[in-house]
Amino acid sequence: MSRPAKRIVLVGFGAVGRAFARLVDERAGAPATTAGRPALSIAAIATTHGTWIRGKDGSELDPAQVADELELGRPFEDVPGVDPRLDGLRAIGEIPADLLVEAGPTDLTDGEPGTSYIRAAFERDWDVVVASKGAMVVHGPELIETASRRGRQLRYGAAAAAALPTLDVARWGLTGARVERIEGILNGTSNAILTDMRRKGSTFAEALARAQAAGTAERDPRLDVGGWDTAAKLVLIAGAVWEAPLEFKDAEVSGVEAVSPPDIAAASSRDGTIRLLGTAWLEGRQPRVRVGVVELPGDHPLAHVDGAEKAITFVTDTLGRITVAGGESSPRAAAAALLRDVLNLAGCHGPMSVG
Amino acid sequence: MSRPAKRIVLVGFGAVGRAFARLVDERAGAPATTAGRPALSIAAIATTHGTWIRGKDGSELDPAQVADELELGRPFEDVPGVDPRLDGLRAIGEIPADLLVEAGPTDLTDGEPGTSYIRAAFERDWDVVVASKGAMVVHGPELIETASRRGRQLRYGAAAAAALPTLDVARWGLTGARVERIEGILNGTSNAILTDMRRKGSTFAEALARAQAAGTAERDPRLDVGGWDTAAKLVLIAGAVWEAPLEFKDAEVSGVEAVSPPDIAAASSRDGTIRLLGTAWLEGRQPRVRVGVVELPGDHPLAHVDGAEKAITFVTDTLGRITVAGGESSPRAAAAALLRDVLNLAGCHGPMSVG
């Protein structure tokens, strides 16, 4: 069985976008794909420096080779096939395609530029797969409603903890059960800092400085250690699980900055552990989301999630408590999460593996 | 949007079958179901004492009420609507339906009677959802091939660790990644006995006797403590993940009977823990499955799975290591796993929750 390739416009060509181009090339391009799932073809790559279009001006580069060119230091606008005057919005308006993959920078304040790209893709009746959180946490309810009204699909698992399959487990692993409560350790940086504080007995400032020196914490760590990244992920997950409109501003958020070595020592003396926990539950039909520091007892399913690892627990009425943990933190793993969403929307009953 | 109800023939009406009837009644019957997924209707219930048929002889009982009658002590053959001369195979041959749900007793030696029921359902071009392991571990490759050839679906997640969503996570949570290795603590009884030995410093025989007295271990515990139950689940999971024909006889199996208190103490002294672990990996294109006692280091993702809990770790090439843990052990949870499979095959893009 052969189907026409699904044509993708990729917006954003940083580390995650480039890794996505390579993964598509490796395992979901036309020759490698077997029956049941359509092949994938990246038709265009839109960046702030213009848009690369497959085959333009006779260029025979494929997207993985465009990534190679950039990583060799060539400016994007000099890569064969790039139109430096074509911006992302016009590219979405003009290029024939089936699917937008959005891997651009995220802005948790206004959700741009992602939101405009997603709206434009729905105008053209494309499906949309989103990696950056901004658009979904600020305008999620509107975008979900638009997708539903136009009969299109919108997947944002890559924005909701990337490699850790939070939304896929909720959608396919808990079908028919009612989720009563969600608890998650969803920010690797904060968890790594708390783990480091416990192991070395150091202060928050010392552990943060070590993480920044190692490159595992950002120069401006407020999104991570302030709880906002955790809140963004949990808003997306809780909104999807309970199918309720939920935005960033609905979450009650605090961070790990005030945790002290005595707090951690006191918890350890009780066989407990201090964590930055995101918690979501229902009040009537309204989901509530809270992020803050809590002490977990030693037998809690999230008590042993150490270092930069992430995990989520769904408490259900009929299946019991289901915890998913792990997932690599890297641009390639985030790209693999995008590919998962693309393949899951492409074929319902295709083979389990690809390539 | 309204669709005709999907008609189910349920084979087996023990604790799991009865719980399934109640769950369908509670949350997936015609009035409760919203757009996107068809309603479910149990058209018949086949047992070794005959077959109940909806509406037969003017009976107005629904399946949950049939369960009530049995639990009040009424013999199945006396329940209104039951034909005591109609056996399961003839019921599948005669009753108009769309789907077989198989929840009968399991025989890991010959796979009967499940295998005959499943073959008969495919003859009628029904989809099949299986709870009992026997048919799948003995004749899995044949049954999967038949389903594929006839364009029908065969789901057996309820046989592969029940409430713990092993196959759903592999199918939807790891899409596009390559699974390199699988490790699982998949038998709650063995894990509870090892946990009890560690906590109380007791022998295997003492811990087994306590588990039998508490009703958490069978009178004949060999399937559990001998590793066969773990092997059966892992054969199903590995065969599905790697899409390779795999049967029970391909597994290398040993159990926990020989574990001694000094073994456990020695592991603890190294911050390790003794577990009955199922491991699967590829040799070339051939999956290999081994079950036996191993010592896990304290930072292994399965090291803290205690008591009757189950868990599985998938090691992948692009997403990293993903672990799923938990899931209740009860007839209602096993029935919820059947309902999950039924709903997942009924609708690809329906709403996440039901009812």
Side-chain angles (χ1 to χ4, degrees):
Chain A
M1 176 167 55
S2 135
R3 304 194 205 175
K6 192 169 275 260
R7 297 161 301 178
I8 296 170
V9 170
L10 172 63
V11 174
F13 209 52
V16 174
R18 295 196 301 274
F20 178 75
R22 292 187 201 286
L23 269 183
V24 168
D25 189 53
E26 271 176 43
R27 57 185 66 179
T33 299
T34 53
R37 285 208 170 96
L40 303 177
S41 169
I42 296 177
I45 302 166
T47 78
T48 48
H49 303 287
T51 297
W52 174 85
I53 301 168
R54 187 186 286 272
K56 182 177 158 64
D57 301 331
S59 163
E60 293 183 355
L61 292 187
D62 65 33
Q65 290 169 319
V66 176
D68 291 344
E69 294 282 327
L70 292 195
E71 287 173 10
L72 288 169
R74 191 164 188 169
F76 186 75
E77 50 272 40
D78 295 346
V79 173
V82 167
D83 177 347
R85 291 170 313 262
L86 189 65
D87 66 21
L89 275 183
R90 278 185 45 225
I92 293 168
E94 292 177 13
I95 292 167
D98 310 290
L99 174 62
L100 174 71
V101 173
E102 196 273 318
T106 198
D107 185 322
L108 294 180
T109 313
D110 67 1
E112 289 297 349
T115 304
S116 297
Y117 296 139
I118 297 170
R119 287 180 184 140
F122 285 141
E123 283 295 316
R124 295 208 60 191
D125 280 328
W126 297 355
D127 294 323
V128 173
V129 171
V130 183
S132 62
K133 298 173 192 66
M136 292 308 301
V137 296
V138 181
H139 298 291
E142 170 215 315
L143 297 171
I144 290 167
E145 200 277 322
T146 303
S148 167
R149 181 164 37 81
R150 301 188 78 104
R152 304 319 312 171
Q153 292 192 64
L154 171 61
R155 296 282 174 104
Y156 43 97
L164 182 73
T166 56
L167 293 181
D168 298 300
V169 169
R171 179 178 290 271
W172 304 104
L174 310 178
T175 321
R178 292 196 182 98
V179 176
E180 296 172 339
R181 185 179 175 85
I182 306 171
E183 295 181 335
I185 292 178
L186 294 169
N187 182 260
T189 302
S190 299
N191 203 54
I193 288 172
L194 291 173
T195 304
D196 192 39
M197 288 174 71
R198 188 182 75 232
R199 288 182 180 159
K200 301 212 176 76
S202 50
T203 65
F204 170 76
E206 290 162 352
L208 172 62
R210 272 196 295 271
Q212 286 173 319
T216 53
E218 307 268 348
R219 292 278 296 277
D220 179 353
R222 286 173 296 177
L223 278 182
D224 291 323
V225 302
W228 301 102
D229 175 72
T230 300
K233 291 168 183 164
L234 196 52
V235 159
L236 299 188
I237 297 164
V241 163
W242 288 307
E243 293 172 44
L246 199 59
E247 295 180 19
F248 207 25
K249 58 184 169 45
D250 301 321
E252 188 184 320
V253 183
S254 62
V256 297
E257 304 92 332
V259 175
S260 71
D263 297 337
I264 290 184
S268 293
S269 73
R270 296 183 285 261
D271 194 32
T273 171
I274 297 280
R275 302 290 178 170
L276 180 65
L277 195 75
T279 309
W281 68 99
L282 279 180
E283 273 180 20
R285 307 190 60 140
Q286 179 58 43
R288 308 282 298 162
V289 171
R290 181 186 294 151
V291 176
V293 166
V294 302
E295 178 179 333
L296 297 180
D299 61 355
H300 188 282
L302 302 178
H304 298 279
V305 176
D306 279 340
E309 189 153 83
K310 298 190 284 282
I312 192 163
T313 298
F314 298 97
V315 181
T316 76
D317 65 341
T318 52
L319 292 165
R321 205 171 61 176
I322 307 280
T323 298
V324 201
E328 192 174 299
S329 294
S330 69
R332 184 169 160 91
L338 279 173
L339 180 63
R340 172 172 63 202
D341 271 358
V342 169
L343 292 171
N344 279 345
L345 67 81
C348 271
H349 304 297
M352 262 195 200
S353 60
V354 173
Chain B
M1 176 167 52
S2 135
R3 304 194 205 175
K6 192 168 276 258
R7 297 161 302 177
I8 296 171
V9 170
L10 173 63
V11 174
F13 209 51
V16 174
R18 296 196 300 275
F20 179 75
R22 293 187 201 287
L23 269 182
V24 167
D25 189 54
E26 271 176 42
R27 58 185 65 181
T33 298
T34 51
R37 284 209 171 95
L40 303 176
S41 168
I42 296 177
I45 302 167
T47 79
T48 49
H49 304 286
T51 296
W52 173 85
I53 301 168
R54 187 186 286 273
K56 182 178 157 62
D57 301 332
S59 161
E60 291 184 356
L61 292 186
D62 65 33
Q65 290 169 319
V66 177
D68 291 344
E69 295 282 327
L70 292 195
E71 287 173 10
L72 289 168
R74 190 164 189 169
F76 187 74
E77 50 271 40
D78 295 346
V79 172
V82 167
D83 178 346
R85 291 171 312 264
L86 190 66
D87 66 18
L89 275 183
R90 278 185 45 225
I92 294 169
E94 292 176 14
I95 291 167
D98 310 290
L99 175 61
L100 174 72
V101 173
E102 196 272 319
T106 197
D107 185 321
L108 294 180
T109 313
D110 67 1
E112 291 296 349
T115 303
S116 297
Y117 296 139
I118 297 170
R119 288 182 184 137
F122 285 140
E123 283 296 315
R124 295 207 61 192
D125 280 328
W126 298 355
D127 294 322
V128 173
V129 170
V130 183
S132 63
K133 297 172 193 66
M136 293 307 301
V137 296
V138 181
H139 298 291
E142 171 215 315
L143 298 170
I144 290 167
E145 200 278 322
T146 304
S148 167
R149 181 163 37 79
R150 301 187 78 104
R152 304 319 310 170
Q153 293 192 65
L154 170 62
R155 296 283 175 104
Y156 44 97
L164 182 72
T166 57
L167 293 181
D168 297 301
V169 169
R171 180 179 289 272
W172 303 105
L174 311 177
T175 322
R178 293 195 182 96
V179 176
E180 296 172 340
R181 185 180 175 84
I182 306 172
E183 296 181 335
I185 293 178
L186 295 170
N187 181 260
T189 302
S190 299
N191 203 55
I193 288 172
L194 291 174
T195 303
D196 192 38
M197 289 174 70
R198 188 183 73 230
R199 287 181 180 159
K200 300 209 178 76
S202 49
T203 65
F204 170 76
E206 290 162 352
L208 172 61
R210 271 197 295 272
Q212 286 173 319
T216 53
E218 308 268 348
R219 291 278 296 279
D220 178 353
R222 285 174 297 178
L223 278 182
D224 291 323
V225 301
W228 301 103
D229 175 73
T230 300
K233 291 167 183 165
L234 195 53
V235 159
L236 299 187
I237 297 163
V241 163
W242 287 307
E243 293 172 44
L246 200 58
E247 295 179 19
F248 208 23
K249 58 183 168 49
D250 301 321
E252 187 184 321
V253 184
S254 61
V256 297
E257 304 92 332
V259 175
S260 71
D263 296 338
I264 290 184
S268 293
S269 74
R270 294 184 285 261
D271 194 31
T273 172
I274 297 280
R275 302 290 178 171
L276 180 64
L277 195 74
T279 308
W281 68 99
L282 279 180
E283 274 180 19
R285 307 191 62 143
Q286 180 57 43
R288 308 283 298 162
V289 171
R290 182 186 294 152
V291 176
V293 166
V294 301
E295 178 180 332
L296 297 180
D299 62 354
H300 189 282
L302 302 179
H304 298 279
V305 176
D306 279 339
E309 188 154 84
K310 298 190 283 285
I312 192 164
T313 297
F314 298 96
V315 180
T316 75
D317 65 339
T318 52
L319 292 165
R321 206 172 58 177
I322 308 281
T323 299
V324 202
E328 191 174 299
S329 293
S330 70
R332 183 169 161 90
L338 279 173
L339 181 63
R340 172 173 61 202
D341 271 358
V342 169
L343 292 171
N344 279 345
L345 67 82
C348 270
H349 304 297
M352 263 194 200
S353 60
V354 172

